[in-house]
Each structure stands twice: as structure tokens, then as C-alpha cells.
Amino acid sequence: QVQLVESGGGLVQPGGSLRLSCAASGFAFSRYAMNWYRQAPGKERELVATITSTGGSTNYADSMKGRCTISRDNAKNTVYLQMNTLKPEDTAVYYCNARGTHYTNYGRDYWGQGTQVTVSS
């Protein structure tokens, strides 16, 4: 079965760093774009970062640009989000997402359960 298992969330002080991981199984990981979304209390879900299936291209939300890096290891079926210089407004539940963009899998969408990131002193 399809599974996305996230880890690495937790409590961190402002200015600190976290590395989120998402381990995927049950589908052709290397043929899917991978994304990180987040949702803060009372706000809509927003896209934080995206990476193409081969890892050749990445994009970031303006609020996180320069402070985070998305990467993937297709041999390990894992995607990462390194976050630095964290701010209290980064507090949210972070979700791992796999999205098909090729004609063979276009429209397929898989989600992890989410991991809580809390930035507070």
C-alpha cells in the first residue's frame, strides 16, 4: 500500500534549524514530484517547497526562500526539507506530498499524516 512516513518535527527555538524527512513506499517514487506543504492554525494549507521527480529543479515559497532546502534521494525513496533560521510564524503542521505530473500518473496525489513544527522560545 502507498505510505508516506514523516519524521523530524518538534520544538525548536527561533533561529534554530530542523530537518524533516519523508520515507515513501508502495508507489514509483522516482516518477513523482515531491512537495512539502504546511498548515498553521486558522490558515489555509500552503505550498512550502517542491522538487521534480529527478531532483533537477526546486521551487520555494517566498516566505521560506533562502531559509530552506528541499532534496530527495531516489535510491532511498526519501525526500527531505532542511529548514534554517526558523521563525515563530513557521509554526505549523508540515505535510509530505507526492504528485504525479507525467501522463502515466497525472492527477495522482498522496499525502503523509503531517508532523508538527513549533518554533517558540
Side-chain angles (χ1 to χ4, degrees), residues 13-95:
Q13 293 186 69
S17 299
L18 283 176
R19 190 196 194 207
L20 307 183
S21 299
C22 175
S25 60
F27 67 101
F29 179 81
S30 64
R31 295 184 179 271
Y32 284 74
M34 297 298 298
N35 310 292
W36 287 96
Y37 286 82
R38 70 184 181 187
Q39 188 165 21
K43 299 187 68 177
E44 294 294 312
R45 182 186 63 188
E46 66 170 336
L47 180 64
V48 176
T50 185
I51 187 167
T52 55
S53 59
T54 63
S57 183
T58 59
N59 282 290
Y60 303 94
D62 288 342
S63 62
M64 294 293 289
K65 196 167 296 182
R67 299 192 295 120
C68 73
T69 302
I70 187 171
S71 60
R72 68 191 296 161
D73 187 339
N74 283 353
K76 296 180 179 179
N77 284 7
T78 303
V79 64
Y80 308 93
L81 185 68
Q82 176 70 45
M83 300 188 291
N84 305 311
T85 321
L86 286 162
K87 306 173 181 179
E89 50 263 46
D90 295 321
T91 296
V93 178
Y94 284 71
Y95 297 92

